Amino acid sequence: MPQTREAPLYSTLSPTDVRSVIIGLMLAILLGALDQTIVSVSLPMMAADLQGVDLLAWVVSGYLIAVAVATPIYGKLGDLYGRRVMLSSAIIIFLLTSIASAMAPSMPFLVGARILQGLGGGGLISVAQAIIADVVAPRDRGRYQGYISAAFAVASVTGPVAGGLLTTYLSWRWVFWINLPLGLVALLSSRRALALLPVPNVKRPIDFLGAVLLIVGLATLLIGITRVGQGAAWLDPLNSKLFGVTLAALLAFYWQERRAEEPIVPLRMFSNRTVNVSCAILFIAFIEVVSLSVLIPLRLQMLTKAGADGSALQLVPLSLAIPSGAYIGGRLMTHLGRYKHLQMFGALLVPVAVLGLAFLPPDAALPTMVCMAITGLGIGLQLPTSTVAVQNAVEHRYVGIATAVSAFCRSLGAAMGIAVLMALLLAALQADAPASAAGFSGAEIIKVLIGDAQVHVDAMIKAQLAGSAVEAFRKIFSVAAGIGFVAFVLSTLVRDEALGERTPVERPRPAH
C-alpha cells in the first residue's frame, strides 16, 4: 500500500547555520571512515605484538560487521530521540572503545574492543547522513552528499598512509590513540552545530524485541559471509548453523515488525518502489567498489611483476573518481532538480568500464586506470542520487531509518560482493587450470603465481597457470559487469520525481 504523506513543516536555518552543521558532520564522518582504513597497514605488527595471527582478519571484519548491524538501529533511534543525542553518544562510544583498543593486552580483547568500536562507527556514519535531510532541502542534498563523499575519499587515501607512519615511528597502538583528539574536536563541533536542530518532544515506544532480532539476524548473516571471504565453504557446518539462525531471526523480525506499534524498520517503507530500487542500486555499487579494490591488485600481483605498491597505484583513479563523481552528480542534481537520469547514466558507465577491464591485458596499466576512473565516476554518480532518492521517497519522520537502511545495503553489498566473487574466482582458477596442475586448488594457484616461497612448481607449469588465470579473471570481471548491468536495468524503474526546494522538519505528533 503506498504511503500517505503529511504536509511537512519547514526549517528556517540560515546558510551559515547549515554550513556549521555540515562541517561538524564531515568531522564526525571522517572519524568513522578513517578507522576503516587506518588499521589495515598496522595488522602485521598487531599480530606480532599480541601473538594472535589466527584472529587477525577479525580486527577489520569485526569492526565492519558491527558498523553494518548498528546502522539501522541508530537510524531509528535518531528518528525517535533526535539526531544530536544519538550522534554524540556514537562519538563517545567510539572514543571509549578506541582507548580500549589502544590498551589491548591480547588479540581476543582487541577484536572485542573493535566490535564495540564498530557500534559507535555505525552511528557516526548513519546519523550524520540522516542529519543532512534535516537541514538541507531535497534539491540541495546531492551537493552536500558530495561533500560527505569527499570526507570518505580523504579517509580512504590518508588512512593507510597515516597508519603506516604512526606504526613505523610510534606504535600500532597510536592508530587508536589518534582518535582521541580527532573525536573530541568532532564531538564539540557537532554538538555546538546540532544544537540548532529540533528535538522530538514526544515519547514513543521502542521495539526492543525487533532490535534484538535484527541484530541477531544481521550479525549471523555477516559473520557467515565474512567467513566465506576468508576461505570457508558457504555451507560448512558452522556457516550452515549461522545461516539457519539468520533465517529464523529475520523471519521472526518480519513477524514482529508487522505487529509492533513503533517498528524499528517500518515495513510499509518498502512498498515504495524508489526506496527498493535505490537501495538495490547502492548494494550493487558497493559490490563493484570492494570487489575491484581486491581483484585488480590481485590480478596484477599474480600476472605481472608489480608489487603491492605498484598494484595499489592502479586503485588511485577509482579512489579519486568516486568522490569526484559524487560531487559532480550532487551539483548536477541541485541544478536539474531531478536524479533519475544521473542515476541511470552512472549505472550504465559501470558495466561498460568493468567489461573493458575483463578484456584488457593485465599489464595494460594506462587503459586499466582509465577504466577504473570511468567505473569510479559511474559509482560516484549513483551514490548521492540513490541516497537522495530514498530520502525524498519517504515521510520525513522515516528519513533516519531510510537513510540507515540504504547505508546498510552498501555495507551488505561490500561484504557479499567480495565473498561471492572471490569464491567464483577460486572455482574458476581451479576449473581452468591445465592438466599438469589439475590437483591444485584455487588458493594454491594464487600462492604459486604471487610467488609464495613455500610453494615450488616448475617454470613451465607456472607459465601455464598464468595463462589459465588470465581467462579466470576475464570470467570474473565479466560476471562483475553483468551485476553492474542489473543496476542499470533497475535504474530505469525509478520514478523521475522533482526534488523539493524547502527543508522539511517533522510535524509534532501526539504520544500514543
Side-chain angles (χ1 to χ4, degrees), residues 28-41:
I29 285 179
L30 182 63
L31 183 67
L34 193 63
D35 231 63
Q36 297 182 19
T37 58
I38 196 171
V39 173
S40 58
V41 180

PDB file of all heavy atoms in Angstrom, residues 28-41:
ATOM      1  N   ALA A  28      32.691  14.260  11.953  1.00  0.00           N
ATOM      2  CA  ALA A  28      32.222  13.004  12.538  1.00  0.00           C
ATOM      3  C   ALA A  28      32.366  11.849  11.550  1.00  0.00           C
ATOM      4  O   ALA A  28      32.815  10.748  11.913  1.00  0.00           O
ATOM      5  CB  ALA A  28      30.768  13.151  12.975  1.00  0.00           C
ATOM      6  N   ILE A  29      31.998  12.074  10.289  1.00  0.00           N
ATOM      7  CA  ILE A  29      32.095  11.019   9.275  1.00  0.00           C
ATOM      8  C   ILE A  29      33.549  10.674   8.994  1.00  0.00           C
ATOM      9  O   ILE A  29      33.910   9.503   8.827  1.00  0.00           O
ATOM     10  CB  ILE A  29      31.359  11.448   7.995  1.00  0.00           C
ATOM     11  CG1 ILE A  29      29.853  11.337   8.228  1.00  0.00           C
ATOM     12  CG2 ILE A  29      31.778  10.601   6.803  1.00  0.00           C
ATOM     13  CD1 ILE A  29      29.002  11.749   7.071  1.00  0.00           C
ATOM     14  N   LEU A  30      34.406  11.691   8.953  1.00  0.00           N
ATOM     15  CA  LEU A  30      35.831  11.449   8.738  1.00  0.00           C
ATOM     16  C   LEU A  30      36.379  10.542   9.837  1.00  0.00           C
ATOM     17  O   LEU A  30      37.163   9.625   9.576  1.00  0.00           O
ATOM     18  CB  LEU A  30      36.583  12.779   8.714  1.00  0.00           C
ATOM     19  CG  LEU A  30      38.094  12.691   8.452  1.00  0.00           C
ATOM     20  CD1 LEU A  30      38.371  12.111   7.077  1.00  0.00           C
ATOM     21  CD2 LEU A  30      38.734  14.067   8.567  1.00  0.00           C
ATOM     22  N   LEU A  31      35.946  10.768  11.072  1.00  0.00           N
ATOM     23  CA  LEU A  31      36.393   9.955  12.201  1.00  0.00           C
ATOM     24  C   LEU A  31      35.992   8.496  12.008  1.00  0.00           C
ATOM     25  O   LEU A  31      36.802   7.580  12.184  1.00  0.00           O
ATOM     26  CB  LEU A  31      35.795  10.512  13.492  1.00  0.00           C
ATOM     27  CG  LEU A  31      36.201   9.826  14.800  1.00  0.00           C
ATOM     28  CD1 LEU A  31      37.673  10.052  15.085  1.00  0.00           C
ATOM     29  CD2 LEU A  31      35.349  10.361  15.952  1.00  0.00           C
ATOM     30  N   GLY A  32      34.719   8.259  11.659  1.00  0.00           N
ATOM     31  CA  GLY A  32      34.246   6.889  11.486  1.00  0.00           C
ATOM     32  C   GLY A  32      34.860   6.208  10.274  1.00  0.00           C
ATOM     33  O   GLY A  32      35.241   5.028  10.333  1.00  0.00           O
ATOM     34  N   ALA A  33      34.997   6.934   9.152  1.00  0.00           N
ATOM     35  CA  ALA A  33      35.525   6.341   7.926  1.00  0.00           C
ATOM     36  C   ALA A  33      37.023   6.070   8.030  1.00  0.00           C
ATOM     37  O   ALA A  33      37.532   5.088   7.488  1.00  0.00           O
ATOM     38  CB  ALA A  33      35.242   7.260   6.739  1.00  0.00           C
ATOM     39  N   LEU A  34      37.737   6.938   8.736  1.00  0.00           N
ATOM     40  CA  LEU A  34      39.187   6.793   8.863  1.00  0.00           C
ATOM     41  C   LEU A  34      39.541   5.476   9.540  1.00  0.00           C
ATOM     42  O   LEU A  34      40.523   4.816   9.174  1.00  0.00           O
ATOM     43  CB  LEU A  34      39.748   7.970   9.659  1.00  0.00           C
ATOM     44  CG  LEU A  34      41.268   8.172   9.643  1.00  0.00           C
ATOM     45  CD1 LEU A  34      41.753   8.472   8.237  1.00  0.00           C
ATOM     46  CD2 LEU A  34      41.663   9.304  10.575  1.00  0.00           C
ATOM     47  N   ASP A  35      38.731   5.063  10.502  1.00  0.00           N
ATOM     48  CA  ASP A  35      39.070   3.849  11.242  1.00  0.00           C
ATOM     49  C   ASP A  35      38.831   2.585  10.439  1.00  0.00           C
ATOM     50  O   ASP A  35      39.216   1.502  10.871  1.00  0.00           O
ATOM     51  CB  ASP A  35      38.286   3.804  12.560  1.00  0.00           C
ATOM     52  CG  ASP A  35      39.206   3.538  13.730  1.00  0.00           C
ATOM     53  OD1 ASP A  35      40.077   4.380  13.991  1.00  0.00           O
ATOM     54  OD2 ASP A  35      39.064   2.488  14.371  1.00  0.00           O
ATOM     55  N   GLN A  36      38.174   2.696   9.286  1.00  0.00           N
ATOM     56  CA  GLN A  36      38.023   1.533   8.415  1.00  0.00           C
ATOM     57  C   GLN A  36      39.268   1.292   7.578  1.00  0.00           C
ATOM     58  O   GLN A  36      39.459   0.211   7.032  1.00  0.00           O
ATOM     59  CB  GLN A  36      36.808   1.727   7.502  1.00  0.00           C
ATOM     60  CG  GLN A  36      35.492   1.829   8.255  1.00  0.00           C
ATOM     61  CD  GLN A  36      34.299   1.977   7.327  1.00  0.00           C
ATOM     62  OE1 GLN A  36      34.363   1.666   6.148  1.00  0.00           O
ATOM     63  NE2 GLN A  36      33.181   2.443   7.869  1.00  0.00           N
ATOM     64  N   THR A  37      40.147   2.297   7.469  1.00  0.00           N
ATOM     65  CA  THR A  37      41.314   2.179   6.590  1.00  0.00           C
ATOM     66  C   THR A  37      42.645   2.305   7.319  1.00  0.00           C
ATOM     67  O   THR A  37      43.630   1.728   6.901  1.00  0.00           O
ATOM     68  CB  THR A  37      41.264   3.260   5.488  1.00  0.00           C
ATOM     69  OG1 THR A  37      41.223   4.558   6.106  1.00  0.00           O
ATOM     70  CG2 THR A  37      40.047   3.101   4.617  1.00  0.00           C
ATOM     71  N   ILE A  38      42.671   3.051   8.426  1.00  0.00           N
ATOM     72  CA  ILE A  38      43.945   3.335   9.078  1.00  0.00           C
ATOM     73  C   ILE A  38      44.551   2.091   9.716  1.00  0.00           C
ATOM     74  O   ILE A  38      45.763   1.976   9.900  1.00  0.00           O
ATOM     75  CB  ILE A  38      43.764   4.463  10.137  1.00  0.00           C
ATOM     76  CG1 ILE A  38      45.107   5.045  10.550  1.00  0.00           C
ATOM     77  CG2 ILE A  38      42.989   3.950  11.332  1.00  0.00           C
ATOM     78  CD1 ILE A  38      44.974   6.282  11.421  1.00  0.00           C
ATOM     79  N   VAL A  39      43.707   1.101  10.050  1.00  0.00           N
ATOM     80  CA  VAL A  39      44.169  -0.093  10.765  1.00  0.00           C
ATOM     81  C   VAL A  39      44.884  -1.080   9.850  1.00  0.00           C
ATOM     82  O   VAL A  39      45.762  -1.820  10.286  1.00  0.00           O
ATOM     83  CB  VAL A  39      42.963  -0.775  11.456  1.00  0.00           C
ATOM     84  CG1 VAL A  39      43.358  -2.104  12.064  1.00  0.00           C
ATOM     85  CG2 VAL A  39      42.398   0.130  12.532  1.00  0.00           C
ATOM     86  N   SER A  40      44.543  -1.089   8.550  1.00  0.00           N
ATOM     87  CA  SER A  40      44.985  -2.156   7.651  1.00  0.00           C
ATOM     88  C   SER A  40      46.501  -2.332   7.615  1.00  0.00           C
ATOM     89  O   SER A  40      47.009  -3.451   7.643  1.00  0.00           O
ATOM     90  CB  SER A  40      44.443  -1.901   6.236  1.00  0.00           C
ATOM     91  OG  SER A  40      44.879  -0.636   5.767  1.00  0.00           O
ATOM     92  N   VAL A  41      47.234  -1.214   7.549  1.00  0.00           N
ATOM     93  CA  VAL A  41      48.694  -1.289   7.437  1.00  0.00           C
ATOM     94  C   VAL A  41      49.324  -1.807   8.727  1.00  0.00           C
ATOM     95  O   VAL A  41      50.410  -2.371   8.719  1.00  0.00           O
ATOM     96  CB  VAL A  41      49.268   0.107   7.085  1.00  0.00           C
ATOM     97  CG1 VAL A  41      50.776   0.065   6.969  1.00  0.00           C
ATOM     98  CG2 VAL A  41      48.662   0.598   5.781  1.00  0.00           C
TER      99      VAL A  41
END
